Amino acid sequence: MWKIPLSDLSFGPEEAEAARQVVASGWLTMGERTAQFERELGEALGTPRVLAVTNCTAALHLAYTALSVGPGDEVICPSLTFVATANAALLCGASVVLADIVGDDDLSVDPADIVRKITPRTRAIAVVHYAGYPCDMDAICAIAAERGLAVVEDAAHAPLASYRGRALGTLGDVGCLSFFSNKNLAVGEGGAVIARDDALHARMRLLRAHGMTTLTLDRHKGHAFTYDVVDAGMNYRIDEIRSAIGLVQLGRLAAGNARRRALAARYHERLAGARGIGLPYRDFYARGLGESAHHLMPVLLPEGTSREAVMEAMKARGVQTSVHYTPIHRFSHHGASDRVRKEGLSRTDAIAGRELTLPLHPRMADADVDAVCEALAASLR
Ligand SMILES: *Cc1c(COP(=O)(O)O)cnc(C)c1O
């Protein structure tokens, strides 16, 4: 249907073969592939403490639960994110305090606004590496360390992205990754949690599987025949089919991210002269802070433009676009909830109606970028 879709899978016959082998093996969940997926993810990210889970929403819920975030606590999180970042904290019974972005050039959460929104009830700061670009982690980690707050990194956009030489997701207390179909590493539904220390890692491992002390595989192998339950946990396990696909996808990730970077650079070059169009993160690489995973290609439309009309006009040319995101405080539940604080979000509000996400995925040709830019220019006339 789309000439140029917003995102596309980078799947080959290897993913199908990996899935087939699991089905043929007769062992479907929490086996050797999952252990290998966790090991190889950890090697790629520079940490031994990775757990693969059902999805990133489960990862966030595990993170907040393992950090003992609960009723009476406040979690500061950006309003400009996917709603799961906030919902997982709300599901723990905590309140969410929404924070503003830095500005038009940086759609990530503003450390100064985090400081303004800290209260005696604040327990954790959740940050999102928007579009794959790192937040100001030096500032955020310093704020958290000074006040004894936990940091949860929602790194759903940012697998293999880095900040000052370290992988995103490994800088806070817990990092969360998504392997949803449209993410840089896709398995359908999947995710991972990365723990700063062994205690959090052990707690999340327990909470991932009912709080049970032994694993299915160990019982199957005869290593254990009974178990105790030492915490009230969930079932957030991933299955072997997804882990096997994930292993193949992990092998494609670095090259995919590099291709995304080249395509994003071409977009920036082409759109630099376009009147009124804002290009967030335009100067990111000039600052030498690290590497983006380039999950999304966000632009800001000229003020006063009808985004809906632009999206329609681009659709007519076969170009799929999207919006990231409707800010959380605009949703009916969160707008009405007295467990969601939403003051001081003027910079988020200023760009919320202007942000447009252009197609970006490793299978795009350079000519596709040019075609999208032409469609955008024509749609703005
Ligand atoms: C996709 C996404 C999630 C949720 O991931 P799932 O794996 O679909 O649960 C959370 N946060 C952000 C920023 C995302 O983009």
Side-chain angles (χ1 to χ4, degrees):
M1 171 190 179
W2 297 105
K3 234 184 322 193
I4 307 177
L6 189 70
S7 70
D8 198 6
L9 290 173
S10 298
F11 269 34
E14 295 83 359
E15 278 81 356
E17 175 55 23
R20 192 200 63 76
Q21 283 180 16
V22 172
V23 173
S25 80
W27 187 266
L28 295 182
T29 195
M30 295 306 285
E32 309 289 0
R33 265 107 177 161
T34 300
Q36 189 186 348
F37 186 36
E38 290 175 343
R39 206 163 48 239
E40 292 193 14
L41 263 174
E43 280 162 16
L45 298 168
T47 167
R49 290 174 299 276
V50 177
L51 297 168
V53 297
T54 317
N55 56 58
C56 184
T57 307
L60 288 159
H61 192 215
L62 271 180
Y64 294 131
T65 306
L67 291 165
S68 301
V69 168
D73 294 335
E74 291 174 357
V75 174
I76 298 177
C77 109
S79 189
L80 194 74
T81 177
F82 184 60
V83 71
T85 322
N87 280 355
L90 293 173
L91 284 169
C92 288
S95 295
V96 165
V97 179
L98 296 174
D100 211 355
I101 58 169
V102 176
D104 285 15
D105 294 330
D106 184 348
L107 307 185
S108 314
V109 67
D110 178 14
D113 199 46
I114 291 175
V115 171
R116 273 194 290 278
K117 286 172 178 171
I118 289 173
T119 77
R121 288 174 178 268
T122 308
R123 282 269 310 143
I125 301 168
V127 302
V128 177
H129 302 297
Y130 182 97
Y133 296 89
C135 299
D136 185 349
M137 291 307 286
D138 279 350
I140 288 159
C141 292
I143 293 162
E146 196 178 306
R147 324 240 175 174
L149 307 175
V151 174
V152 173
E153 290 179 83
D154 182 338
H157 296 181
L160 286 196
S162 63
Y163 180 79
R164 298 198 193 279
R166 289 165 67 195
L168 298 188
T170 69
L171 302 161
D173 293 275
V174 184
C176 302
L177 296 175
S178 173
F179 309 135
F180 182 62
S181 327
N182 66 8
K183 298 301 204 294
N184 292 27
L185 189 168
V187 305
E189 297 282 359
V193 282
I194 301 151
R196 180 204 289 280
D197 61 38
D198 291 339
L200 272 172
H201 182 65
R203 179 134 200 239
M204 291 195 290
R205 181 192 288 284
L206 275 172
L207 289 168
R208 175 176 65 172
H210 312 287
M212 284 163 58
T213 51
T214 64
L215 303 175
T216 318
L217 186 63
D218 291 330
R219 289 194 300 281
H220 177 75
K221 286 179 170 170
H223 297 162
F225 55 88
T226 186
Y227 59 83
D228 189 18
V229 176
V230 296
D231 208 337
M234 284 74 80
N235 174 2
Y236 282 163
R237 294 184 298 244
I238 196 165
D239 61 64
E240 288 285 281
I241 300 173
R242 289 157 216 238
S243 293
I245 294 172
L247 277 163
V248 181
Q249 283 278 288
L250 181 58
R252 301 189 197 277
L253 184 59
N257 283 1
R259 179 65 189 145
R260 289 170 180 272
R261 179 172 171 171
L263 292 163
R266 190 174 182 90
Y267 268 123
H268 278 233
E269 210 177 281
R270 290 233 135 203
L271 294 173
R275 203 151 37 91
I277 292 184
L279 294 174
Y281 306 102
R282 187 182 49 233
D283 301 325
F284 171 73
Y285 285 105
R287 279 183 274 142
L289 289 173
E291 184 102 20
S292 171
H294 298 282
H295 174 55
L296 302 173
M297 177 61 216
V299 300
L300 302 179
L301 295 176
E303 296 195 42
T305 310
S306 161
R307 178 169 61 193
E308 217 171 61
V310 171
M311 291 178 82
E312 273 304 314
M314 293 187 74
K315 181 179 173 183
R317 290 167 168 260
V319 177
Q320 186 180 20
T321 58
S322 185
V323 171
H324 292 86
Y325 291 92
T326 298
I328 289 176
H329 62 282
R330 302 270 184 94
F331 290 124
S332 41
H333 173 80
H334 304 79
S337 172
D338 56 13
R339 277 205 288 130
V340 179
R341 277 198 19 223
K342 45 233 159 202
E343 295 99 43
L345 298 167
S346 59
R347 277 166 281 156
T348 302
D349 282 326
I351 63 97
R354 291 176 60 205
E355 193 278 336
L356 182 75
T357 306
L358 304 178
L360 184 62
H361 58 83
R363 295 228 161 141
M364 282 175 74
D366 290 353
D368 291 330
V369 170
D370 302 348
V372 173
C373 293
E374 274 157 39
L376 178 59
S379 306
L380 284 170
R381 274 200 286 273

